[in-house]
Amino acid sequence: MRLIKVKDFLTRHKGIRQQATTDIEIFEIRDDEKTDYCILSHRWVQNQEVNYKQMKNLSKLDNAYDILDWDGYQKILKACEVADGHFEYLWSDTCCIDKRSSSEMSEAINSMFRWYKNSKQCYTYLHDSSDFPTERDFTAFTNSSGWPEWFSRGWTLQELIAPDDLRFFNRDWIEIGDKRSKATEIEKITRVPVLVLKDGLSSYEPSFAEVMAWAAERRTSLVEDEAYSLIGLLGVNMPMLYGEGKKAFQRLQLEFMQMSNDQSIFAKRCAGPVES
């Protein structure tokens, strides 16, 4: 996996701010099974995220100073500041995957659950919250069922379950709790059992129907991701075919049926994701 070198990222950032010439390489390919790293979980912000090409060549870009102030860049910067002194490496889905490569995208999506599971800490950024939520607030969170947006997204379901040590940060990057201490509240929000939140899937194997129930009210920007975001939770591997639409969920079912005799897949509620 491609990881950000935390100290090199911070050094380069300081150099760009000071308008110094810098050719520091901030990325390194590492084995996730043999590397201690932290990982970022967050809600994407449209037109504000920094992709791999931009992040790699940032010091050479004409609009580098503008990018430094993007919400997406600031997330990486703040995460690196939190990690500094604790971890040498950080991973983020926005800039650590070269999305111009379909093969790299497919490999990353099939590996993502494992990457979150193997991380030593997961920093979960609740960009729209000051405190950890305990009750629905439809005024503050109009478009996400009364909870912070992070809890409404398809991809963040596996990002919640996979890591052993997950820590929540508010909009100001102040830590506001961790997955284990907030397990009861998280179960209330997500319907994921406390046992799974505390122990992951190591001691509990959910049925297909259970995973669909956890994902039922979550949304993704692309219809294919309604299926792709569940492959790690279901233990499935399959190629990514963006453009196939709802056929992605049919392929997910077929792949699952080839490796499991779980009859809950035939339940009516497992016919497919709920319409947006």
Side-chain angles (χ1 to χ4, degrees), residues 217-275:
E217 295 182 6
R218 293 173 176 263
R219 298 290 177 265
T220 60
S221 298
L222 300 176
V223 65
E224 293 90 350
D225 286 338
E226 293 175 343
Y228 300 163
S229 62
L230 301 177
I231 62 177
L233 289 167
L234 295 169
V236 168
N237 281 280
M238 57 188 248
M240 307 300 107
L241 300 173
Y242 283 103
E244 67 177 327
K246 293 183 179 297
K247 290 181 180 178
F249 190 79
Q250 296 170 6
R251 286 201 299 122
L252 177 69
Q253 289 176 304
L254 290 172
E255 291 289 340
F256 184 79
M257 290 168 61
Q258 290 179 8
M259 53 170 282
S260 173
N261 60 2
D262 178 0
Q263 298 299 302
S264 76
I265 195 172
F266 299 110
K268 185 176 181 180
R269 62 182 178 275
C270 295
V274 177
E275 292 286 349

Side-chain angles (χ1 to χ4, degrees), residues 66-245:
D66 294 331
I67 292 177
L68 294 187
D69 293 323
W70 287 7
D71 290 344
Y73 182 87
Q74 286 294 312
K75 275 187 292 192
I76 307 298
L77 174 62
K78 296 299 184 182
C80 283
E81 289 175 348
V82 172
D84 191 28
H86 304 284
F87 296 100
E88 188 176 351
Y89 299 100
L90 168 79
W91 187 87
S92 172
D93 55 356
T94 55
C95 63
C96 291
I97 306 170
D98 187 351
K99 299 175 183 65
R100 298 170 298 177
S101 167
S102 59
S103 61
E104 184 169 331
M105 272 287 289
S106 186
E107 178 186 4
I109 290 174
N110 278 287
S111 304
M112 206 169 291
F113 184 88
R114 189 187 79 234
W115 290 348
Y116 274 90
K117 186 176 185 298
N118 286 341
S119 67
K120 295 303 180 183
Q121 279 185 1
C122 177
Y123 301 156
T124 296
Y125 178 53
L126 304 183
H127 74 282
D128 50 3
S129 305
S130 55
D131 300 300
F132 192 89
T134 55
E135 298 293 338
R136 288 184 188 268
D137 186 340
F138 289 100
T139 301
F141 310 113
T142 307
N143 299 317
S144 50
S145 302
W147 301 109
E149 279 194 68
W150 185 85
F151 290 101
S152 72
R153 306 307 299 174
W155 285 104
T156 58
L157 178 59
Q158 68 172 0
E159 295 167 18
L160 168 66
I161 293 172
D164 180 56
D165 185 354
L166 183 149
R167 306 190 180 193
F168 292 97
F169 292 82
N170 71 5
R171 58 166 59 95
D172 298 315
W173 278 94
I174 298 170
E175 188 172 340
I176 54 174
D178 62 80
K179 182 170 66 169
R180 291 178 179 274
S181 67
K182 299 292 186 181
T184 301
E185 293 94 328
I186 297 170
E187 181 180 33
K188 176 181 175 182
I189 298 169
T190 65
R191 294 178 292 188
V192 177
V194 167
L195 175 65
V196 174
L197 294 170
K198 290 187 174 181
D199 297 334
L201 301 183
S202 59
S203 59
Y204 182 85
E205 185 176 346
S207 68
F208 191 92
E210 283 179 288
V211 173
M212 291 304 105
W214 300 343
E217 295 182 6
R218 293 173 176 263
R219 298 290 177 265
T220 60
S221 298
L222 300 176
V223 65
E224 293 90 350
D225 286 338
E226 293 175 343
Y228 300 163
S229 62
L230 301 177
I231 62 177
L233 289 167
L234 295 169
V236 168
N237 281 280
M238 57 188 248
M240 307 300 107
L241 300 173
Y242 283 103
E244 67 177 327

Side-chain angles (χ1 to χ4, degrees), residues 3-5 8-9 12 24-28 55-56:
L3 292 164
I4 295 169
K5 296 183 286 183
D8 287 343
F9 179 95
R12 189 184 71 167
I24 296 174
E25 175 55 62
I26 66 164
F27 291 110
E28 185 175 332
M55 191 66 85
K56 180 176 176 61

